[in-house]
Amino acid sequence: MTFAVFFILLFLGVPIALVLALTALWYIATSGNSVLFESYPQQLFGAIESYGLLAIPLFMLAGELMNEGGLTSRLINLARILVGGFRGGLAYINLVANMMMAAIMGSAASQIAIMSRAMVPAMEKEGYSASYAAAITSAGGLLSPIIPPSMLFVLFGVLAQVPIAEMFIAGIVPGLLMSLLFFIVIALIGLVQEYPKGEWPDRAKRREYLLMGMPAGLIPIVIIGGILTGLATPTESAALASLAALLIGKYVYKDLKFSHLPEILRRTALNAGMVIMLISAAGVFGWVVVYEQIPQAAAAWIAQQTSDPFVFMLMVVGVLILVGMVIDGIAALILVVPILLPIAQQQFDISAYQFGVVVCLTLVTGLLTPPVGAGLFIGSSMTGIPPMQIFRSLLPFLLATLATLVLLSGVPELVLVLL
């Protein structure tokens, strides 16, 4: 009955945070256990009592400051130097710029929104179809959960009680691997569609783009360098990135005005508040799941199906693709980690880092798959292109993502090599 209430509320369109909180309340009310009522407020606050979660609003703030301060456009011009002359040059520029943004923002939804405004109109002007331009931009958002920093990695690190910095390091090689597969997809589509060959910037333009892009390019170095060297925690790196974006946008590019800050802080507070509220509610729901010993039941069932770690990981990918289609990635992560991580570690001896990378990438794929597909609707609202039209153009990139997931599931060294 509790799960029936969950799905009824979900399909009635109730916000997912309320769905989780109300379902947990329903379970407590029907269980007749008054002690659980007394623990409910404690569980709500306990789910968000983590220093590591401070990285989420700080990375959101860094992204907002970058977009408002003109750093995004300079990163795009920096990408022109690297890949602008290839056939379908703007498609490569789009992807490289998304890689740079992924190393700053950590949020796939925010990245899709920002890059759609910046790249889709430019690609349309040069003859690319609108749906293809939107598809590449949306696919670039899939890099956000695995190229560090990543909000999902922050949350997974808190849930799994593993160092967030090491989760970030574990995502570097998988992020580069998926980027390579996306480059191959773009190259093949460019040949089939006969997109025009791009133009390399001349020497004067290269010098201009490099000089103007270097300050913006410092932000990924601040974030990743601070974490890799141990000089800063992920949360401290996010704070430094926000400060750097503010100073560069205000004093180097001069696009950011102090009068913009109240609106930037308001948007950051609203977006971060929604995420933190969702984490809190999902924490209560996860508490109910563990109390009911659902992980143990799931472990017994899975043990009957397979004893092969690779098959288990493929089962997880298949199930989570379906889960990600209807439930927000953050909520789904909080729900599945307490159930599946103990099984992965204890029964199949799977590293928490490998499991975390695969789960985070699988869940964020749901952003771009119907029926919910929030990323599709974000891209559609930014560009005016119907969501299903974007989805059809996105299919080759989703197949590349699926190939990445299979490789990461079967070859743990791809995740663990830098640890």
Side-chain angles (χ1 to χ4, degrees):
M1 189 62 189
T2 299
F3 282 101
V5 170
F6 173 83
F7 286 109
I8 289 170
L9 291 173
L10 186 66
F11 287 108
L12 284 175
V14 177
I16 186 65
L18 289 178
V19 170
L20 297 171
L22 292 173
T23 303
L25 276 175
W26 172 274
Y27 167 80
I28 293 170
T30 55
S31 70
N33 190 339
S34 61
V35 175
L36 294 180
F37 266 120
E38 296 172 6
S39 301
Y40 187 86
Q42 180 183 357
Q43 294 296 329
L44 273 175
F45 285 99
I48 55 175
E49 284 184 334
S50 170
Y51 171 74
L53 289 177
L54 279 174
I56 292 177
L58 288 170
F59 280 127
M60 286 183 170
L61 177 60
E64 291 284 353
L65 288 168
M66 281 192 63
N67 197 43
E68 199 74 29
L71 281 74
T72 305
S73 60
R74 271 73 176 196
L75 286 176
I76 292 170
N77 286 336
L78 197 58
R80 290 180 187 275
I81 301 175
L82 302 174
V83 291
F86 296 129
R87 180 178 296 278
L90 259 185
Y92 290 104
I93 291 168
N94 192 340
L95 184 57
V96 171
N98 266 293
M99 291 174 66
M100 294 176 181
M101 291 298 292
I104 297 167
M105 297 196 64
S107 167
S110 300
Q111 186 172 319
I112 291 170
I114 289 171
M115 294 303 292
S116 292
R117 291 197 299 268
M119 289 303 305
V120 174
M123 291 185 71
E124 283 187 273
K125 285 181 183 176
E126 294 201 14
Y128 296 85
S129 69
S131 59
Y132 178 60
I136 292 178
T137 307
S138 300
L142 293 176
L143 299 172
S144 189
I146 53 175
I147 290 181
S150 162
M151 286 200 297
L152 287 182
F153 279 3
V154 171
L155 185 53
F156 181 85
V158 172
L159 293 170
Q161 297 184 341
V162 297
I164 295 171
E166 292 185 6
M167 274 304 303
F168 284 178
I169 295 169
I172 292 174
V173 172
L176 294 175
L177 172 64
M178 192 160 81
S179 301
L180 175 62
L181 293 179
F182 282 2
F183 277 121
I184 293 171
V185 169
I186 291 173
L188 294 175
I189 292 175
L191 289 174
V192 171
Q193 299 292 335
E194 296 185 350
Y195 284 121
K197 186 177 179 182
E199 293 184 4
W200 295 107
D202 58 35
R203 180 176 296 181
K205 282 290 184 183
R206 284 200 303 271
R207 186 172 182 273
E208 177 190 342
Y209 291 162
L210 186 61
L211 288 175
M212 294 303 291
M214 283 178 63
L218 286 174
I219 295 186
I221 296 173
V222 167
I223 295 173
I224 299 174
I227 294 169
L228 292 180
T229 59
L231 294 175
T233 66
T235 302
E236 291 163 351
S237 292
L240 289 172
S242 298
L243 177 61
L246 172 64
L247 296 176
I248 292 169
K250 172 62 179 174
Y251 296 109
V252 178
Y253 300 143
K254 297 181 170 46
D255 289 350
L256 181 64
K257 310 297 181 187
F258 283 132
S259 59
H260 299 164
L261 289 180
E263 177 59 22
I264 290 172
L265 293 172
R266 186 189 70 84
R267 288 199 302 265
T268 302
L270 286 174
N271 293 331
M274 287 189 290
V275 172
I276 298 300
M277 185 175 177
L278 181 56
I279 293 170
S280 178
V284 174
F285 189 87
W287 168 59
V288 168
V289 166
V290 172
Y291 188 84
E292 275 294 284
Q293 297 188 327
I294 292 175
Q296 290 87 332
W301 181 82
I302 290 172
Q304 296 173 357
Q305 311 305 313
T306 183
S307 59
D308 188 328
F310 179 55
V311 174
F312 168 74
M313 290 299 288
L314 292 182
M315 290 171 62
V316 169
V317 168
V319 170
L320 294 188
I321 285 176
L322 297 176
V323 170
M325 287 181 178
V326 295
I327 300 178
D328 177 84
I330 291 175
L333 187 68
I334 300 173
L335 295 178
V336 302
V337 169
I339 298 174
L340 295 179
L341 181 58
I343 301 171
Q345 290 181 302
Q346 295 165 18
Q347 289 194 221
F348 296 96
D349 196 28
I350 294 171
S351 163
Y353 301 105
Q354 180 194 9
F355 184 80
V357 170
V358 170
V359 166
C360 290
L361 178 55
T362 305
L363 287 176
V364 87
T365 305
L367 267 177
L368 300 175
T369 50
V372 177
L376 293 175
F377 287 97
I378 291 170
S380 177
S381 66
M382 294 293 116
T383 62
I385 303 161
M388 287 308 297
Q389 194 173 328
I390 298 175
F391 177 70
R392 284 192 291 270
S393 297
L394 192 61
L395 283 173
F397 296 96
L398 292 177
L399 290 175
T401 304
L402 187 59
T404 304
L405 286 168
V406 172
L407 286 171
L408 296 179
S409 298
V411 188
E413 291 78 13
L414 291 172
V415 177
L416 305 177
V417 62
L418 297 180
L419 293 174

